[in-house]
Structures are given as C-alpha cells and as structure tokens.
Amino acid sequence: MAETKKRYQLGIIGWPLGYSLSPAMHNAALKAAGLSGEYREIPVKPEALEGWLEREAPKLDGFNVTMPHKEAVCAWLKQHGRVRNSRDQRMGAVNAVRVEQGRLVGCNTDGDGFLRLLDRTSDSSRLFDERSEKKVVLLGAGGAARAIAFSLAASGFGEIRIWNRHRERAQALANDLAPYAKGNAACHSSVLEAVDAAALKGVDLLVQTTPAGMKGKEPLPCDIPFDLLEKLDRAAKPSKKPVLCDIVYDPKETPFLLRAKEHGLTFVGGLGMLIEQAALSFEFWFGDVVPKEKLRRISLVMGHAIGDSI
Ligand SMILES: NC(=O)c1ccc[n+]([C@@H]2O[C@H](COP(=O)([O-])OP(=O)(O)OC[C@H]3O[C@@H](n4cnc5c(N)ncnc54)[C@H](OP(=O)(O)O)[C@@H]3O)[C@@H](O)[C@H]2O)c1
C-alpha cells in the first residue's frame, strides 16, 4: 500500500492578525522543499492564549508567534515546555515553536535573522570584520531590540548602546545582556532624547527598532542628527562608514531610511530581516528533514513569494 505523505500543519499566532506576509513565504517554502502541508494565520486573543497552547498547539507541527504573544509564550514554555537555549530564555521572547511528540520547544530567530541580513548584504557584511571593535546604537528596547541585542552580543560585537523612550527598559536590557556579551563588550543605556552628536561619534551601526514610521504611525519624535552622521560618513575610511538600519518593513523606505538616503548614508531596510527570520524558523522546523542545499535557497524562495507585496 502506498504510504500517505505527511501533511505538515503550521501557522502564525497573534492578535489582531492583520495581513501577514508569513503564509505566502512559508507556503512557497513548503512547496520548494517538496513538503506537503499548509501554513495559515491563527488569530488568538491574549485571554485565550494559555488554553490554545495547551489544547490546540500540540495538534500542529510548528508555528510562529507575533505581537503581542512573544513574551507570554516564552514564559509559558519555561514552565510547560522548553526554550531552545539559555540565550533565548534570557532574551525572554519566542517567535518560533516546534512540536516534538506533543511537547512544545521554542526559540527566537529575530536577532539571528537580523545578523544574517547584515552578513548577506554587501553594504553591511564588512561590519563583521573586527566586530569586537564595533560600536552599535539601538533605538528602542522592546522585543525586537532585545532579540537583536542578544544576537549582536553573543556574536562578539564590542559595544552596544541602547537608547529608549523609557530609560528603565533600556537599563533592564543592558543588565540582562551583560553576561552574554563576549570579551569586554560594553552595554550602555540612555533615553532616546539624548541621542546627540557625542553619542553617535564613532558609531558603526545605528538600528531603528521602534514601530515609529510604520504605515499609519508617526516617525520617531526625537531628532537624530543626520547632518553629523553625514559629516562622520564623509570623513571615514570606507571600512568605518556607518550603516543605518530600520527594522520596520512597511513601508519599505521608512521616514528614517529616507532621511539616511537624503544624506547619502548607507542603509539597510527591514524586509530582509523579515525574510531571514522566517527562513531560520523554517530551518528550526525542517532542519532534519530538508536537505541542506534546499534550505540554503529558502530565503530566496521566500523573497520571491512576497515580491512586490509591500
Ligand atoms: N523586520 C522584522 O523582521 C521585524 C521583526 C520584529 C519586529 N519588527 C518591527 O519592529 C517594531 C518593534 O517591534 P517590537 O516587537 O520590538 O515592539 P515592542 O516590544 O512593543 O517595543 C517597542 C519599542 O519601541 C519604543 N517605542 C514605541 N513607540 C515609540 C515612539 N513613538 N517613540 C519612541 N519610542 C517608541 C518602545 O519604547 P518604550 O519602552 O519607551 O515604550 C519600545 O522600546 C515593529 O514595528 C515590528 O513590526 C520587525
């Protein structure tokens, strides 16, 4: 008798779930990998999350987690399942879960997706050379900033400054980060309004991680000294020119990136991070099933699948 091919059941939970690009990316990836199954949007209200994790999640093979559930799912997994490693546990947010014989195991692919984007982008890959001497400034200290900061620290970036609207949150992240920073990495925090010329001197990477500038939202209220960044850029050797990044991906060119462009600065948009974190989720679920050469092409497949959606 012919063996029935397994149909994988995957999805993304969040509330509210607007139009998510994840189903298009993952359904194309399943097809390209020769797997049968489907990835769908699963709206889960915050008050229904616990019940859903207990009863519905084990029926799936894996799922992504988006706002506002990333922290709550991580906390639940620490008690009732498992978080992949101590770094992700400490980070405190989970965006991908796989189901292993009914038990849920979570991880965070946002930060590593961000690093992979930098590494695969010709304008930013040089940041990895002598990274222990590199200075990074993060604007914002929310879930995405935490993921990025932990990945940067674990991979050896030397100095990470966190600037946030509420200082306590920036300080909490700097404190949590310190044990994960390699070598003599320094972690500092401050309020967003204090981002001035002195703070940005010698910056190698400036990352905008707040939702400001997203479709329908105002740009960052504080005044980033783009004039100064332009001066620094002009005076710097090619290997020391600052790279600016906005992880917001809708619109593709955010107000922050448009200012960077106006000032002739090197910039990287957030859509690539969305694709790389999705590809890493796919690897988390199917790393043992799909041949490595197919996995290597998955981010390309996902990029084509969303094409001009934004
Ligand atoms: N490209 C990707 O793959 C990717 C992945 C994940 C997230 N994202 C995007 O990243 C953004 C942040 O997500 P998140 O999960 O980190 O959100 P979050 O946990 O809610 O954190 C939001 C952060 O932004 C700050 N903030 C919010 N509004 C602000 C404003 N008007 N002015 C100044 N600071 C403000 C908050 O400061 P306070 O602490 O002071 O409130 C906080 O630090 C979202 O737009 C999300 O879509 C993109």
Coordinates of all heavy atoms in Angstrom, one line a residue, residues 67 70-71 110 140-145 164-166 169 192 209-212 214 218-221 247-249 270-271 273-275 277, ligand 1:
M67 N 3.2 39.7 17.7 CA 2.7 40.5 18.7 C 1.2 40.2 19.0 O 0.5 39.9 18.1 CB 2.7 42.0 18.3 CG 4.2 42.5 18.3 SD 4.3 44.3 18.3 CE 3.7 44.7 16.6
K70 N 4.8 37.2 22.1 CA 6.1 36.6 22.1 C 6.6 36.4 23.6 O 7.2 35.3 23.8 CB 7.1 37.5 21.4 CG 6.9 37.5 19.9 CD 7.9 38.4 19.2 CE 7.7 38.5 17.7 NZ 8.7 39.3 17.0
E71 N 6.4 37.3 24.4 CA 6.9 37.2 25.8 C 6.1 36.2 26.6 O 6.6 35.3 27.3 CB 6.9 38.5 26.6 CG 8.0 39.5 26.2 CD 7.5 40.4 25.0 OE1 6.4 40.2 24.5 OE2 8.4 41.2 24.6
D110 N 14.5 36.2 15.5 CA 14.6 37.6 15.0 C 16.0 38.1 15.0 O 16.4 38.7 14.0 CB 13.7 38.5 15.9 CG 12.2 38.4 15.6 OD1 11.9 38.1 14.5 OD2 11.4 38.6 16.5
G140 N 15.4 52.1 20.8 CA 14.3 51.2 21.2 C 14.8 50.1 22.0 O 16.0 49.7 21.9
A141 N 14.0 49.6 22.9 CA 14.4 48.5 23.8 C 13.3 47.4 24.0 O 13.2 46.8 25.0 CB 14.8 49.0 25.2
G142 N 12.4 47.3 23.0 CA 11.3 46.3 23.0 C 11.8 44.9 22.6 O 13.0 44.6 22.6
G143 N 10.8 44.1 22.3 CA 11.1 42.7 22.0 C 12.1 42.5 20.9 O 13.0 41.7 21.0
A144 N 11.9 43.3 19.8 CA 12.8 43.1 18.6 C 14.2 43.6 19.0 O 15.2 43.0 18.6 CB 12.3 43.9 17.4
A145 N 14.3 44.7 19.7 CA 15.6 45.2 20.1 C 16.3 44.2 21.0 O 17.5 44.0 20.9 CB 15.4 46.6 20.9
N164 N 16.3 54.4 24.7 CA 14.9 54.1 24.7 C 14.1 55.3 25.3 O 14.7 56.0 26.1 CB 14.6 52.8 25.5 CG 13.2 52.3 25.2 OD1 12.8 52.3 24.0 ND2 12.5 51.9 26.2
R165 N 12.8 55.4 24.9 CA 12.0 56.4 25.4 C 11.9 56.3 27.0 O 12.1 57.3 27.7 CB 10.6 56.2 24.8 CG 9.6 57.3 25.1 CD 8.4 57.1 24.2 NE 7.8 55.8 24.3 CZ 6.7 55.4 23.7 NH1 6.1 56.2 22.9 NH2 6.2 54.2 23.8
H166 N 11.7 55.1 27.5 CA 11.7 54.9 28.9 C 13.0 54.3 29.3 O 13.3 53.1 28.9 CB 10.5 54.0 29.4 CG 9.2 54.6 29.2 ND1 8.4 54.3 28.1 CD2 8.6 55.5 29.9 CE1 7.3 55.1 28.2 NE2 7.4 55.8 29.3
R169 N 13.6 50.6 30.8 CA 13.6 49.4 29.9 C 14.9 49.2 29.2 O 15.4 48.1 29.0 CB 12.5 49.6 28.9 CG 12.0 48.3 28.3 CD 10.7 48.6 27.6 NE 10.2 47.4 26.9 CZ 9.2 47.5 26.0 NH1 8.5 48.6 25.8 NH2 8.7 46.4 25.4
L192 N 16.1 58.1 24.8 CA 16.1 58.4 23.3 C 16.5 59.9 23.0 O 17.2 60.1 22.1 CB 14.7 58.0 22.8 CG 14.6 57.6 21.3 CD1 15.6 56.6 21.0 CD2 13.2 57.1 21.1
T209 N 14.7 50.4 16.0 CA 13.9 49.2 16.2 C 12.5 49.5 16.8 O 11.8 48.6 17.2 CB 14.6 48.3 17.3 OG1 14.4 48.8 18.6 CG2 16.0 48.0 17.0
T210 N 12.1 50.8 16.9 CA 10.8 51.1 17.4 C 9.7 51.0 16.2 O 10.1 51.0 15.1 CB 10.7 52.5 18.0 OG1 10.5 53.5 16.9 CG2 11.9 52.8 18.8
P211 N 8.4 50.9 16.6 CA 7.4 50.9 15.5 C 7.2 52.2 14.8 O 6.5 52.3 13.9 CB 6.2 50.4 16.2 CG 6.5 50.2 17.6 CD 7.8 50.8 17.9
A212 N 7.9 53.3 15.3 CA 7.7 54.6 14.7 C 8.1 54.6 13.2 O 9.0 54.0 12.8 CB 8.6 55.6 15.4
M214 N 6.2 53.2 11.0 CA 5.4 52.1 10.3 C 4.2 52.8 9.6 O 3.8 53.8 10.0 CB 4.8 51.2 11.4 CG 5.4 49.9 11.6 SD 4.7 49.2 13.1 CE 3.4 48.2 12.4
E218 N 3.4 57.8 13.3 CA 4.3 59.0 13.2 C 5.8 58.5 13.2 O 6.1 57.5 13.8 CB 4.1 59.9 14.4 CG 2.8 60.6 14.5 CD 2.6 61.6 13.4 OE1 3.6 62.4 13.1 OE2 1.6 61.6 12.7
P219 N 6.7 59.3 12.5 CA 8.1 58.9 12.7 C 8.6 59.2 14.1 O 7.9 59.7 14.9 CB 8.8 59.9 11.7 CG 7.7 60.6 11.0 CD 6.4 60.4 11.7
L220 N 9.8 58.7 14.4 CA 10.4 58.9 15.7 C 10.4 60.4 16.1 O 10.8 61.3 15.3 CB 11.9 58.5 15.7 CG 12.3 57.2 16.1 CD1 13.8 57.1 16.2 CD2 11.7 56.8 17.5
P221 N 9.9 60.7 17.3 CA 9.8 62.1 17.7 C 11.1 62.8 17.9 O 11.2 64.0 17.8 CB 9.0 62.1 19.0 CG 9.1 60.7 19.5 CD 9.4 59.8 18.3
I247 N 14.3 48.4 11.1 CA 13.7 47.0 11.0 C 12.2 47.1 10.6 O 11.6 46.0 10.3 CB 13.9 46.2 12.3 CG1 13.1 46.7 13.5 CG2 15.4 46.1 12.7 CD1 13.0 45.7 14.6
V248 N 11.6 48.3 10.6 CA 10.3 48.4 10.1 C 10.3 48.1 8.6 O 11.2 48.6 7.9 CB 9.7 49.8 10.4 CG1 8.4 50.0 9.7 CG2 9.5 50.0 11.9
Y249 N 9.4 47.3 8.1 CA 9.5 46.9 6.7 C 8.3 47.3 5.9 O 8.2 47.1 4.7 CB 9.6 45.3 6.6 CG 8.6 44.6 7.3 CD1 7.3 44.3 6.8 CD2 8.8 44.1 8.6 CE1 6.4 43.6 7.4 CE2 7.9 43.4 9.3 CZ 6.6 43.2 8.7 OH 5.7 42.5 9.4
G270 N 14.2 46.8 6.5 CA 13.8 45.7 7.4 C 13.2 44.5 6.8 O 13.0 43.4 7.4
L271 N 12.9 44.6 5.5 CA 12.2 43.4 4.8 C 13.1 42.2 4.8 O 12.6 41.1 5.0 CB 11.8 43.8 3.4 CG 10.8 42.9 2.7 CD1 9.5 42.8 3.5 CD2 10.5 43.4 1.3
M273 N 15.2 41.3 7.0 CA 15.2 40.6 8.3 C 13.9 39.8 8.5 O 14.0 38.7 9.0 CB 15.2 41.7 9.4 CG 15.0 41.1 10.8 SD 15.1 42.4 12.1 CE 14.4 41.6 13.5
L274 N 12.8 40.3 7.9 CA 11.6 39.5 8.0 C 11.8 38.2 7.3 O 11.4 37.1 7.7 CB 10.4 40.3 7.3 CG 9.1 39.6 7.4 CD1 8.5 39.8 8.7 CD2 8.2 40.1 6.3
I275 N 12.4 38.2 6.1 CA 12.7 37.0 5.3 C 13.6 36.1 6.0 O 13.4 34.9 6.1 CB 13.2 37.4 3.9 CG1 12.1 38.2 3.1 CG2 13.6 36.2 3.1 CD1 12.6 38.9 1.9
Q277 N 14.4 35.9 9.2 CA 13.9 35.2 10.5 C 12.9 34.1 10.1 O 12.8 33.1 10.8 CB 13.3 36.3 11.5 CG 12.1 37.1 11.0 CD 10.8 36.3 11.0 OE1 10.6 35.3 11.8 NE2 9.9 36.6 10.1
Ligands
LIG1 N1 11.8 43.2 10.2 C1 11.4 42.2 11.0 O1 11.6 41.0 10.8 C2 10.8 42.6 12.4 C3 10.8 41.7 13.4 C4 10.3 42.0 14.6 C5 9.7 43.3 14.8 N2 9.7 44.2 13.7 C6 9.2 45.5 13.9 O2 9.8 46.2 14.9 C7 9.0 47.1 15.6 C8 9.1 46.9 17.1 O3 8.6 45.7 17.5 P1 8.7 45.1 19.0 O4 8.2 43.7 19.0 O5 10.1 45.4 19.5 O6 7.7 46.1 19.7 P2 7.6 46.4 21.3 O7 8.1 45.2 22.1 O8 6.2 46.9 21.6 O9 8.7 47.6 21.6 C9 8.5 48.8 21.1 C10 9.7 49.7 21.4 O10 9.6 50.9 20.7 C11 9.5 52.0 21.6 N3 8.5 52.9 21.0 C12 7.3 52.7 20.6 N4 6.7 53.7 20.1 C13 7.6 54.7 20.2 C14 7.6 56.1 19.8 N5 6.5 56.7 19.2 N6 8.7 56.9 20.1 C15 9.8 56.3 20.6 N7 9.8 55.0 21.0 C16 8.8 54.3 20.8 C17 9.1 51.5 22.9 O11 9.6 52.3 23.9 P3 9.1 52.3 25.4 O12 9.8 51.1 26.1 O13 9.5 53.6 26.0 O14 7.6 52.1 25.4 C18 9.8 50.1 22.9 O15 11.2 50.2 23.2 C19 7.6 46.8 15.0 O16 7.3 47.8 14.0 C20 7.7 45.5 14.3 O17 6.9 45.3 13.2 C21 10.3 43.9 12.5

